[in-house]
Amino acid sequence: MERLKNKITQAVLLSVGLTLASTSFSAFAADVPAGTQLAKVQELVRGNGTEVASLDPHKTEGVPESHVIRDLLEGLVNQDSQGNTIPGVALSWETTDNKLFTFHLRKDAKWSNGDPVTAEDFVYSFKRVVDPVTASPYAWYLEMTNMVNAKEIIEGTADKETLGVKAIDPYTLQVTLTTAVPYFVKMMGHTTVKPVHKASIEKFGDKWTKPENFVGNGAFTIANWVVNERIELVPNNNYWDNAHTVLTKVTFLPIENQVSEMNRFLSGEIDITNELPNEHYKRLAKDHAESVSIPGNLCSYYYGFNNAKAPFNDVRVRKALSYAIDRNVITKFLLGQGQKPAYFLTPEIVAGFHPQMPAYGKLTQKQRVQEAKDLLSEAGFNKQNPLKFTLLYNTSENHKKIAAAIQSMWKKSLGVDVQLENQEWKTYLDTRRQGDFDVTRAGWCGDYNEASSFLSLMQSNNSSNDPKYKSAEYDQIMNKALLSTDDQERNALYAEAEVLLAKDMPIAPIYQYVKARLVNPHVGGFPTNNAEDKIFSKDLYIKQ
């Protein structure tokens, strides 16, 4: 979809911190090309991978949840089909120093019950995220924005009312940071900083997300939610741009088995799948080429070691296991859809960042395996004393196949005995968060298109740092990067951080994602060039 150049210009200029005056924008919604014949039934069905853990944006941390919440709630900014930051509830914004940001909200934004969306809604919501009482798994995200007192509030040493956010008037929001963050506006497109309706939460508590209680400000609202079966959304008639929403219904299906999802797509039941079954990729690419979509994706797949637990508190063990993984086998033969072997955490698709290949990534696999054997032997593990542990992954056929392949590699190369354990999504998230694992499958998708969105994950103060990696040197590098106002200097520091991760190996990067899925050709407006895979149903339509 083509968008007005002034939108793109604003997003680009603000990413480097230039001041812009308040500007009006045209509607951003389904842009149906002239002459397109629309289907009589405008209903879309999507596979969503698994049952959502929650639809409260301040209590979620997963991709499946964000897919649904993106339709239900609208933050200060959105993204267009190219991944450019564009207006959401905020029509415009300005800053002169990348520390004080002023957002001007549209006056026609409403909640689904007709209440106006105001600056106070964002003040309440941001304070709710950092409030320890909320126990938001993503509270750290606001700390990473450097919002005044976010860190202290999260740690319980300051009152939530001291957070650096305030309503100047009903439609002017001001956010104050402790240090300059040139990409702050980009960060405001994340799920965690979407607003919630205060009165609904005060009335219904944790039950505010039930369909009968839900009040949102997004383009859609919840019509029906049958746990482990479906979530059905319908247009929010009070949405400021509802006139341009084409779809009349959007259904999300929690399908964990990719073959089952594929079959339901081929039978016409699903319009967009969440994934592809790896073993069927070649056949699908040949027989259903028009439906196979494989854009690059701002995500990394890795295994996390429990750095706080023996023997994974020994870097030699962590390195041995990482080196013994044949990433080429995983990407070329097991996946084979264009995924790249990963030897660092940050994907190469991240804007402006070019990580250097670490030394172990330059070795042949035979050389890596030999080093792995030597390291494991030094750590005291051998045939007489084999290393034994459990590998945790969330229920998914694709994750299971990768885990089985790596289990075999470790056994064949190192004589390691690995027990595989799968858990359904919610339980898996809880287990990881509690640190009750040896090695765990993990994936991370950028919350914004900048290297810090990945590298901040390994900072010791990040509540999503499930591997429990704690390095004062790493924290120092990242803190220095966050303080830097020079892009070149900041990217050089990010490169240093990647070098340290390769040295300490708290995680084993495995591959950089592509987003392989099936998309019915009759779906119009699908954003194939959005690196973060942000799909807004309000931009989609069904062609005849």
Side-chain angles (χ1 to χ4, degrees):
M1 293 178 285
E2 292 296 326
R3 295 297 169 201
L4 293 180
K5 288 183 179 179
N6 64 338
K7 290 183 181 179
I8 296 174
T9 301
Q10 169 147 354
V12 173
L13 290 178
L14 281 171
S15 72
V16 295
L18 298 184
T19 303
L20 289 178
S22 183
T23 309
S24 296
F25 298 88
S26 66
F28 171 65
D31 187 2
V32 184
T36 301
Q37 295 293 315
L38 293 175
K40 291 183 179 180
V41 177
Q42 289 293 318
E43 297 182 358
L44 182 84
V45 181
R46 287 183 58 178
N48 200 36
T50 190
E51 175 62 30
V52 298
S54 170
L55 288 179
D56 185 330
H58 306 157
K59 297 192 176 184
T60 61
E61 57 183 316
V63 173
E65 292 78 13
S66 290
H67 285 327
V68 184
I69 292 172
R70 198 172 293 123
D71 284 348
L72 296 173
L73 297 167
E74 183 169 78
L76 293 169
V77 297
N78 292 326
Q79 284 188 5
D80 67 11
S81 62
Q82 304 298 309
N84 297 301
T85 298
I86 61 169
V89 175
L91 269 174
S92 63
W93 47 87
E94 66 250 11
T95 182
T96 57
D97 58 3
N98 286 326
K99 290 176 65 176
L100 180 66
F101 290 83
T102 303
F103 294 87
H104 304 282
L105 311 190
R106 59 176 77 250
K107 295 182 180 179
D108 54 350
K110 293 181 180 180
W111 294 96
S112 54
N113 68 347
D115 291 348
V117 179
T118 68
E120 283 293 348
D121 290 318
F122 286 93
V123 172
Y124 167 76
S125 299
F126 288 6
K127 289 178 179 178
R128 182 173 182 255
V129 174
V130 296
D131 188 347
V133 173
T134 305
S136 173
Y138 246 81
W140 62 267
Y141 189 77
L142 264 71
E143 180 180 343
M144 292 303 164
T145 68
N146 284 332
M147 202 173 294
V148 167
N149 279 340
K151 180 178 187 292
E152 291 76 10
I153 297 167
I154 293 167
E155 293 175 346
T157 60
D159 189 275
K160 67 179 180 179
E161 298 305 320
T162 65
L163 186 66
V165 58
K166 64 178 179 179
I168 303 301
D169 60 47
Y171 298 101
T172 308
L173 179 74
Q174 190 176 85
V175 180
T176 306
L177 313 183
T178 56
T179 56
V181 178
Y183 46 85
F184 175 75
V185 173
K186 289 182 180 180
M187 296 184 76
M188 291 297 97
H190 190 259
T191 301
T192 303
V193 287
K194 292 188 185 295
V196 291
H197 189 252
K198 180 180 179 181
S200 296
I201 291 174
E202 290 180 341
K203 182 176 181 179
F204 299 110
D206 288 340
K207 295 181 179 180
W208 77 272
T209 56
K210 288 183 174 292
E212 62 270 24
N213 303 333
F214 186 81
V215 174
N217 73 324
F220 292 81
T221 190
I222 309 174
N224 185 34
W225 183 0
V226 182
V227 175
N228 291 320
E229 184 180 313
R230 64 183 53 230
I231 295 175
E232 296 174 337
L233 312 183
V234 294
N236 169 12
N237 293 327
N238 281 313
Y239 180 61
W240 65 269
D241 199 26
N242 183 56
H244 290 91
T245 300
V246 177
L247 296 176
T248 59
K249 183 178 180 181
V250 180
T251 302
F252 290 86
L253 303 179
I255 307 171
E256 294 179 339
N257 186 295
Q258 287 81 24
V259 174
S260 175
E261 184 184 41
M262 174 192 71
N263 288 335
R264 293 172 75 171
F265 175 91
L266 295 176
S267 69
E269 183 183 346
I270 296 176
D271 301 295
I272 303 172
T273 69
N274 186 58
E275 291 185 287
L276 285 181
N278 295 327
E279 68 276 20
H280 289 272
Y281 167 72
K282 290 183 179 179
R283 177 178 67 84
L284 291 169
K286 179 183 177 182
D287 297 341
H288 302 278
E290 74 287 350
S291 298
V292 175
S293 173
I294 314 179
N297 202 9
L298 202 67
C299 299
S300 289
Y301 192 106
Y302 63 93
Y303 279 177
F305 303 114
N306 193 333
N307 288 238
K309 179 180 182 181
F312 306 102
N313 56 354
D314 187 331
V315 66
R316 295 171 298 186
V317 173
R318 301 195 299 267
K319 282 187 173 181
L321 293 173
S322 178
Y323 290 1
I325 297 173
D326 192 334
R327 292 155 174 84
N328 287 314
V329 168
I330 300 295
T331 56
K332 290 184 180 179
F333 302 109
L334 198 58
L335 300 172
Q337 300 161 2
Q339 293 88 346
K340 288 186 176 182
Y343 299 94
F344 32 76
L345 175 58
T346 310
E348 291 162 292
I349 196 174
V350 165
F353 182 55
H354 306 288
Q356 294 183 345
M357 181 65 73
Y360 83 98
K362 298 176 183 178
L363 301 176
T364 65
Q365 186 58 33
K366 184 177 180 180
Q367 291 171 325
R368 277 194 288 270
V369 169
Q370 185 55 55
E371 284 210 21
K373 289 179 178 178
D374 294 342
L375 286 165
L376 207 57
S377 178
E378 288 176 21
F381 295 99
N382 47 44
K383 288 183 180 180
Q384 291 71 39
N385 181 35
L387 175 62
K388 298 179 181 180
F389 61 88
T390 299
L391 171 60
L392 173 70
Y393 65 93
N394 57 296
T395 303
S396 159
E397 286 302 306
N398 286 350
H399 297 330
K400 179 180 180 180
K401 287 163 189 169
I402 292 172
I406 293 177
Q407 175 192 41
S408 176
M409 293 173 190
W410 283 336
K411 180 67 174 176
K412 181 180 178 181
S413 300
L414 305 176
V416 173
D417 292 329
V418 182
Q419 181 179 342
L420 303 184
E421 178 183 3
N422 73 291
Q423 295 179 349
E424 59 90 17
W425 181 243
K426 292 182 185 179
T427 305
Y428 156 82
L429 289 176
D430 288 339
T431 301
R432 274 193 357 190
R433 198 176 301 117
Q434 293 163 8
D436 187 20
F437 66 89
D438 296 328
V439 180
T440 179
R441 171 264 157 193
W444 192 258
C445 294
D447 297 317
Y448 49 95
N449 197 343
E450 217 255 357
S452 62
S453 183
F454 290 86
L455 295 171
S456 63
L457 180 65
M458 291 293 107
Q459 288 183 246
S460 57
N461 63 343
N462 191 319
S463 58
S464 290
N465 179 358
D466 294 323
K468 303 295 185 284
Y469 174 58
K470 298 190 182 301
S471 165
E473 183 181 0
Y474 187 86
D475 290 346
Q476 186 177 16
I477 292 171
M478 288 302 298
N479 288 332
K480 188 176 179 181
L482 291 173
L483 291 172
S484 174
T485 57
D486 181 83
D487 288 348
Q488 189 173 353
E489 178 190 30
R490 195 163 58 250
N491 281 319
L493 288 164
Y494 292 151
E496 283 185 38
E498 285 284 8
V499 169
L500 193 55
L501 289 183
K503 177 185 174 185
D504 292 347
M505 203 66 72
I507 63 171
I510 298 174
Y511 69 84
Q512 299 172 26
Y513 283 60
V514 290
K515 188 57 186 179
R517 57 157 59 96
L518 294 167
V519 180
N520 193 307
H522 71 205
V523 177
F526 190 80
T528 55
N529 293 322
N530 188 302
E532 294 179 67
D533 196 42
K534 288 190 174 180
I535 304 168
F536 295 84
S537 296
K538 66 187 178 67
D539 303 329
L540 306 181
Y541 51 92
I542 306 297
K543 294 177 285 187
Q544 197 169 52

